[in-house]
Amino acid sequence: MRSNIISRKENHNEWLVWNKITGDCVSIFTTDEMFMGHHKTLYTVVYRGVRVGVMIEHFQKAMSTARNHIS
């Protein structure tokens, strides 16, 4: 069985996740942070213009948050 949710990398700091049936889409943006000499990549999930996940440390968690909002 094929999934109705598709994800695609738009550019180096943005992913687009959408549901083929409903047409809803979610954007995942990456932000590179430098804190006390340590580099960290953080993710922000945006659904319908509202940030639903901010400062997420793992990409799989950001993808899970995006999938939960469009399914």
Side-chain angles (χ1 to χ4, degrees):
M1 182 173 178
R2 296 189 65 160
S3 175
N4 292 327
I5 297 176
I6 299 174
S7 62
R8 182 175 69 187
K9 188 170 186 175
E10 291 293 308
N11 55 40
H12 71 281
N13 66 346
E14 180 182 4
W15 284 81
L16 187 63
V17 182
W18 73 92
N19 188 329
K20 291 190 302 187
I21 295 174
T22 63
D24 279 346
C25 66
V26 177
S27 296
I28 301 174
F29 297 98
T30 62
T31 307
D32 294 326
E33 294 287 327
M34 182 67 84
F35 181 70
M36 295 181 65
H38 298 286
H39 177 266
K40 185 184 285 189
T41 301
L42 299 174
Y43 301 94
T44 302
V45 181
V46 178
Y47 176 63
R48 294 185 180 174
V50 177
R51 285 184 264 164
V52 293
V54 181
M55 296 182 67
I56 300 172
E57 293 186 5
H58 302 287
F59 179 73
Q60 291 301 321
K61 175 69 175 163
M63 187 67 80
S64 174
T65 303
R67 286 176 181 259
N68 287 338
H69 278 85
I70 61 173
S71 38

